[in-house]
């Protein structure tokens, strides 16, 4: 009876790889045809299908059988695919390429390539990178009930180089010193020195680095370096070389009256020509200082100083001072140039105060006369008075800074040591005395203030081992 009504049935098709099992609609006369769900239930274990069978899908297949064309397939079982592992990775928190970072604006009409070299640096304790552990994955099961192993995630290897420590618990790579983070292959390091193999020019741009900078070539005109410590093997042109620590210029400076060499510690150079030099510590020049401004809170030691201006809190020691060409050379030993700058700023503010109050000084001192003034004049005086109060506050702040400077300043050394020759047209001044020299004097001499006579006196110099210069 059933065979006369039912014209189609199902055959069980099993994927040999165990991924799926399907029911395929066939003619009812096909050998092995399955006519009812129970027959399918019996056929599945005979075909070793024991996992992923969905009875609801079997029921839906038989409900659709009447209208299904031969060849139509209904999936009734599926394997569980494995979840493959995820490889480990490194999350970098800082720039580890070691390359320059462009610091200009993308909206600039023209690219300023001098701005293109800001070298990334980090402080000790900076988080450099985080190690992300691999995920192992989850096993799957095929329709035959066999386990399908996942592809495990592979660990990434990042080794610690110089000045880097790994926290094994958190996977954090931490800088143990200040410097430039660099990734070299699978090694991450923090290098305390940024080296420039050639010149500082358009190929490098300006250099800004939180650690030390070593330049093997020259620094061309118009290019600046800012760093902690700086050493330059070549010559320095019309540039700004600024360090919070020491500066060593093995090739000297040709500044063309545009160079600034500024150090928070000491400066050592072969020679200085037409430059401004500022140092919190000693300044040692192996050869000459020519037509330059040298300001140091330490001692200036040079082979010769010709022309320019020198302020040195700890005094000056040279082989020769001045020039036989009669170039004016000004030297002020025992003077703190930072204090002098505050003094000059305060004098400027004082002059501004005098200029501001001069037009209304009479009204400020005569209240009765002020009351008789029209409203617009009173408003003008009130505005001037507010400006006066701001300038007075600035004056008092500078005065307080000068007072603190004077309290903490090192003991000044008001002397100039000349080992070989003191030329004419040299001017030496301390905070109390001064003297212009109009003829040559042969050393070794020491120039010291004579307070009683209000002048600078010459005296023979006796060698002291704690102060020396290097000639060459």
């Amino acid at each position: 009876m059933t065979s006369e009504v039912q014209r189609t049935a199902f055959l069980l098709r099993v994927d040999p790889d165990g991924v799926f099992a399907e029911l395929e609609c066939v003619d009812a006369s096909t050998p092995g045809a399955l006519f009812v769900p129970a027959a399918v239930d019996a056929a599945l274990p005979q075909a070793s299908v024991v996992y992923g069978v969905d009875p609801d899908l079997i029921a839906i297949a038989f409900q659709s059988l009447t209208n299904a064309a031969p060849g139509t397939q209904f999936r009734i079982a599926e394997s569980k695919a494995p979840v493959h592992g995820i490889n480990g990775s490194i999350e970098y928190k800082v720039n580890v390429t070691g390359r320059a970072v462009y610091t200009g604006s993308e909206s600039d009409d023209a690219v300023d390539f001098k701005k293109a070299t800001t070298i990334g640096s980090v402080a000790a304790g900076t988080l450099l990178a985080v190690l992300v552990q691999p995920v192992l994955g989850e096993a799957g099961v095929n329709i035959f009930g066999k386990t399908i192993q996942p592809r495990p995630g592979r660990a990434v290897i990042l080794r610690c180089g110089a000045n880097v420590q790994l926290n094994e618990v958190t996977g954090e790579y931490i800088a143990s010193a200040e410097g430039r983070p660099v990734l070299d292959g699978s090694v991450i390091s923090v290098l305390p020195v940024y080296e420039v193999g050639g010149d500082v020019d358009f190929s490098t741009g300006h250099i800004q680095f939180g650690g030390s900078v070593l330049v093997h070539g020259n620094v061309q005109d118009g290019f600046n370096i800012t760093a902690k410590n700086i050493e330059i093997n070549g010559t320095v042109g019309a540039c700004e070389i600024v360090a919070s620590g020491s500066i060593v210029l093995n090739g000297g400076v040709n500044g063309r009256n545009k160079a600034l060499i500024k150090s928070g510690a000491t400066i050592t150079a072969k020679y200085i020509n037409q430059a401004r030099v500022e140092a919190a510590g000693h300044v040692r020049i192996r050869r000459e200082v020519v037509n330059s401004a040298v300001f140091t809170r330490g001692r200036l030691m040079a082979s010769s100083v010709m022309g320019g201006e020198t302020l040195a809190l700890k005094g000056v020691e040279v082989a020769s001072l001045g020039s036989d060409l009669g170039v004016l050379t000004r030297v002020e030993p025992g003077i703190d140039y930072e204090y002098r700058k505050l003094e000059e700023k305060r004098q400027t503010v004082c002059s501004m105060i005098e200029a501001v109050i001069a037009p209304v000084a009479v009204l400020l001192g005569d209240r009765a006369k002020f009351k008789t003034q029209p409203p617009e004049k009173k408003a003008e005086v009130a505005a001037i008075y507010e400006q006066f109060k701001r300038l007075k506050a600035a004056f008092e702040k500078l005065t307080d800074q000068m007072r603190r400077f004077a309290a903490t300043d090192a003991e000044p050394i008001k002397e100039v040591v000349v080992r070989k020759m003191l030329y004419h047209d040299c001017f030496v001044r301390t905070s109390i005395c001064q003297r212009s020299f109009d003829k040559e004097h042969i050393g070794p001499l020491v120039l010291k203030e004579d307070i009683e006579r209000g002048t600078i006196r010459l005296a023979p110099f006796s060698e002291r081992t704690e102060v020396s210069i290097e000639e060459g």
Side-chain angles (χ1 to χ4, degrees):
M1 182 71 176
T2 303
S3 62
E4 297 176 359
V5 177
Q6 189 167 344
R7 297 180 180 279
T8 56
F10 285 121
L11 280 182
L12 178 64
R13 305 291 191 189
V14 178
D15 175 51
D17 293 328
V19 177
F20 61 87
E22 294 177 334
L23 292 176
E24 182 179 347
C25 182
V26 296
D27 187 88
S29 62
T30 302
L34 305 172
F35 294 93
V36 295
V40 174
D41 293 339
L44 286 170
Q46 292 177 5
S48 300
V49 178
V50 296
Y51 179 85
V53 177
D54 190 335
D56 292 336
L57 293 178
I58 296 175
I60 292 172
F62 276 94
Q63 291 171 7
S64 306
L65 182 60
T66 303
N67 300 320
T72 304
Q73 296 174 335
F74 297 87
R75 186 161 295 193
I76 61 171
E78 281 189 320
S79 64
K80 176 186 176 183
V83 178
H84 294 301
I86 301 174
N87 292 338
S89 62
I90 301 293
E91 294 182 358
Y92 294 100
K93 303 299 183 180
V94 298
N95 178 14
V96 295
T97 64
R99 294 192 294 268
V101 177
Y102 180 63
T103 58
S105 171
E106 294 183 356
S107 62
D108 290 345
D109 293 335
V111 176
D112 183 357
F113 289 100
K114 290 183 179 180
K115 295 181 180 178
T117 305
T118 297
I119 306 303
S121 62
V122 297
T126 299
L127 175 62
L128 304 175
V130 177
L131 175 65
V132 179
Q133 295 293 344
V135 177
L136 296 179
E138 182 180 347
V141 182
N142 67 14
I143 61 174
F144 304 134
K146 294 182 179 180
T147 300
I148 306 173
Q149 295 296 336
R151 183 173 60 251
R154 292 177 295 179
V156 66
I157 297 175
L158 183 63
R159 297 181 177 86
C160 292
N163 303 315
V164 177
Q165 294 179 341
L166 172 62
N167 185 321
E168 299 287 353
V169 177
T170 64
E172 295 178 331
Y173 291 82
I174 306 295
S176 59
E178 182 181 47
R180 175 173 60 108
V182 174
L183 179 65
D184 184 8
S186 62
V187 178
I188 185 170
S189 306
V190 174
L191 305 181
V193 177
Y194 175 68
E195 289 194 49
V196 179
D199 292 350
V200 175
D201 51 21
F202 280 106
S203 67
T204 64
H206 298 315
I207 293 177
Q208 298 177 355
F209 183 50
S212 298
V213 171
L214 171 60
V215 178
H216 292 283
N218 305 320
V219 182
Q220 302 294 342
D221 289 348
F223 290 89
N224 305 329
I225 301 177
T226 303
K228 183 176 181 179
N229 300 296
I230 300 172
E231 181 173 0
I232 300 170
N233 289 332
T235 58
V236 174
C239 314
E240 290 188 6
I241 309 298
V242 180
S244 58
S246 62
I247 295 176
V248 177
L249 307 176
N250 295 316
V253 180
N254 296 309
R256 299 194 295 117
N257 293 321
K258 297 178 182 178
L260 170 63
I261 313 298
K262 186 174 182 179
S263 167
T266 62
I267 294 176
T268 302
K270 186 176 182 180
Y271 63 87
I272 302 290
N273 183 25
Q274 294 182 323
R276 180 183 177 91
V277 176
E278 297 183 14
H282 297 318
V283 175
R284 297 177 174 88
I285 311 300
R286 296 199 302 274
R287 285 170 37 183
E288 69 276 3
V289 179
V290 181
N291 294 328
S292 297
V294 180
F295 306 128
T296 171
R297 301 190 76 209
R299 189 175 182 88
L300 170 61
M301 292 163 277
S303 178
S304 63
V305 174
M306 296 176 283
E309 178 184 18
T310 298
L311 275 66
L313 181 61
K314 290 295 184 178
V316 175
E317 183 174 351
V318 295
S320 63
L321 184 64
S323 167
D324 56 3
L325 299 177
V327 178
L328 177 61
T329 304
R330 300 171 60 91
V331 178
E332 297 186 49
I335 301 297
D336 188 333
Y337 78 96
E338 293 285 5
Y339 186 90
R340 175 70 62 82
K341 286 196 293 187
L342 290 174
E343 194 173 44
E344 291 173 351
K345 287 181 181 179
R346 188 177 70 163
Q347 183 57 48
T348 299
V349 172
C350 185
S351 298
M352 293 173 64
I353 291 174
E354 293 175 355
V356 165
I357 66 174
V360 296
V362 176
L363 296 178
L364 290 175
D366 191 336
R367 186 177 296 272
K369 189 172 182 179
F370 173 76
K371 291 181 178 180
T372 64
Q373 300 300 308
E376 59 271 16
K377 188 64 176 179
K378 289 181 179 179
E380 179 187 350
V381 173
I384 289 176
Y385 183 67
E386 290 301 319
Q387 186 178 1
F388 163 75
K389 289 196 297 184
R390 291 193 296 270
L391 290 171
K392 182 182 178 184
F395 181 87
E396 291 174 347
K397 181 179 179 180
L398 288 168
T399 301
D400 182 63
Q401 289 176 331
M402 291 172 63
R403 187 180 299 112
R404 285 187 280 110
F405 246 106
T408 60
D409 222 346
E411 186 68 26
I413 298 178
K414 303 178 181 182
E415 67 173 22
V416 178
V417 174
V418 180
R419 293 175 174 274
K420 293 182 178 180
M421 178 66 72
L422 172 64
Y423 291 96
H424 62 284
D425 285 336
C426 288
F427 176 78
V428 179
R429 180 173 67 180
T430 65
S431 57
I432 300 174
C433 307
Q434 64 182 42
R435 179 176 174 181
S436 294
F437 294 89
D438 55 6
K439 64 179 182 179
E440 297 179 353
H441 297 272
I442 299 176
L445 301 168
V446 58
L447 287 63
K448 289 187 174 183
E449 63 181 5
D450 187 336
I451 298 176
E452 292 184 0
R453 298 181 180 181
T455 188
I456 302 296
R457 64 182 177 87
L458 298 175
F461 172 71
S462 59
E463 185 67 42
R464 292 172 299 178
T465 57
E466 70 271 18
V467 178
S468 64
I469 64 171
E470 179 183 355
E471 296 184 40

